[in-house]
Amino acid sequence: MLELLQYPFFRHAVTGILIISIAAGIIGTYIVTRRLVSLSGGITHSCFGGLGFGYYIGFNPILMALIFAVASSLGIEWMSTKQRVREDSAIGLVWALGMAIGIMFIFLTPGYAPELNSFLFGSLLTITTTDLWLSGLYTSVLILFFGIFNRKIIACAFDSDFATVSGLPVRLINSVMTVMVAICIVLTIRMVGIMLLISMLTVPVMIAELTSHSYNRIMVTAIVISSLSSLAGIFLGTIIDVPCSSIIVLLQVVVFGIARLYRNIRVRRMMQ
């Protein structure tokens, strides 16, 4: 099994999934804590509009998806804070609009758009050196940002009202974090696809919450779980010749089910 590491494309896949696991663990903990799981879905599908529009006008579709994602994330934050629109409603609006724009422009664009399959299903084994550098740079900036503003981010995530009263720049921190979520999604979605990305942002955090209630411990545990399940999924998927992303999702869900069952049994024994 280790002989697979002699191939550059496989080493790129392993390195890339480890970098993505770190970023997803950090961003996912914030999303789950703020109960914004649907935010990742909304921004992800708004990227579809950027991809379609980019293909139509002949502009870099990934860069256009990034523009759409950042604009959508800021739009959601603006509607929910300034226009008093419920956050889930704002996410639903952006979700539907992004998909509608994407479908329309893809239909109007002649030819076949090869990036669409990567957008939906990912392509772990085609990760390039450029992908690794961009993901590594983003993850480094994310770690630095969390290292500097860790307590403020946690305060805003758990209780924004108390953070506002305490004088923290809640809107600024939430806006920056929302943009960070958007950038994370765009940088990783072509490599892992919608299905795996949403799983990596949520399931490891859900597992970590079963063992800890500390924000930082949940984040670190989520990173470890995401990394281990992703590595196992890549090796298993390559050996049995099935899509690695589907194996990784299945492994994470199975681990969640086992962890949940173990916790329920433990709680029942303690109550007896």
Side-chain angles (χ1 to χ4, degrees), residues 4 9-10 125 232-244 247:
L4 291 170
F9 75 90
F10 194 81
L125 297 180
I234 286 180
F235 280 101
L236 285 175
T238 305
I239 291 171
I240 63 179
D241 195 23
V242 296
C244 298
I247 295 294

Side-chain angles (χ1 to χ4, degrees), residues 95-174:
W95 186 317
L97 180 62
M99 290 297 293
I101 292 174
I103 292 171
M104 180 181 70
F105 281 111
I106 288 172
F107 179 79
L108 293 174
T109 304
Y112 172 70
E115 288 283 348
L116 294 183
N117 282 335
S118 295
F119 176 80
L120 295 173
F121 306 110
S123 186
L124 276 173
L125 297 180
T126 60
I127 292 177
T128 65
T129 304
T130 302
D131 292 328
L132 294 180
W133 277 108
L134 289 175
S135 299
L137 178 61
Y138 165 78
T139 303
S140 300
V141 171
L142 186 63
I143 293 172
L144 180 63
F145 181 73
F146 260 82
I148 296 173
F149 301 104
N150 183 269
R151 292 185 178 180
K152 295 180 180 179
I153 294 172
I154 293 174
C156 294
F158 275 105
D159 194 339
S160 59
D161 293 333
F162 176 77
T164 302
V165 173
S166 301
L168 295 178
V170 176
R171 289 182 180 176
L172 177 60
I173 291 175
N174 286 343

Side-chain angles (χ1 to χ4, degrees), residues 29-253:
T29 304
Y30 175 81
I31 288 175
V32 174
T33 301
R34 279 198 64 196
R35 299 181 181 179
L36 293 177
V37 175
S38 59
L39 175 67
S40 59
I43 295 176
T44 298
H45 287 79
S46 72
C47 292
F48 195 73
L51 286 172
F53 187 60
Y55 278 117
Y56 181 73
I57 65 175
F59 189 74
N60 187 319
I62 300 300
L63 184 57
M64 185 58 70
L66 177 61
I67 295 172
F68 266 61
V70 172
S72 298
S73 63
L74 292 176
I76 291 170
E77 192 69 26
W78 175 75
M79 282 190 287
S80 60
T81 56
K82 296 289 188 180
Q83 301 300 313
R84 296 184 179 181
V85 177
R86 285 177 49 183
E87 202 157 39
D88 59 340
S89 300
I91 292 170
L93 175 64
V94 168
W95 186 317
L97 180 62
M99 290 297 293
I101 292 174
I103 292 171
M104 180 181 70
F105 281 111
I106 288 172
F107 179 79
L108 293 174
T109 304
Y112 172 70
E115 288 283 348
L116 294 183
N117 282 335
S118 295
F119 176 80
L120 295 173
F121 306 110
S123 186
L124 276 173
L125 297 180
T126 60
I127 292 177
T128 65
T129 304
T130 302
D131 292 328
L132 294 180
W133 277 108
L134 289 175
S135 299
L137 178 61
Y138 165 78
T139 303
S140 300
V141 171
L142 186 63
I143 293 172
L144 180 63
F145 181 73
F146 260 82
I148 296 173
F149 301 104
N150 183 269
R151 292 185 178 180
K152 295 180 180 179
I153 294 172
I154 293 174
C156 294
F158 275 105
D159 194 339
S160 59
D161 293 333
F162 176 77
T164 302
V165 173
S166 301
L168 295 178
V170 176
R171 289 182 180 176
L172 177 60
I173 291 175
N174 286 343
S175 296
V176 172
M177 284 305 304
T178 305
V179 171
M180 286 289 193
V181 172
I183 297 174
C184 178
I185 288 172
V186 174
L187 288 179
T188 58
I189 196 170
R190 190 186 67 79
M191 294 186 282
V192 300
I194 293 176
M195 176 182 64
L196 179 54
L197 177 59
I198 293 178
S199 175
M200 291 182 71
L201 288 173
T202 56
V203 181
V205 181
M206 293 168 64
I207 298 170
E209 284 183 324
L210 296 174
T211 61
S212 176
H213 298 289
S214 166
Y215 186 96
N216 289 330
R217 286 184 181 178
I218 291 173
M219 183 169 61
V220 172
T221 305
I223 291 173
V224 173
I225 293 171
S226 182
S227 300
L228 293 178
S229 61
S230 297
L231 287 176
I234 286 180
F235 280 101
L236 285 175
T238 305
I239 291 171
I240 63 179
D241 195 23
V242 296
C244 298
S245 57
S246 61
I247 295 294
I248 294 171
V249 173
L250 289 173
L251 285 175
Q252 291 180 349
V253 173

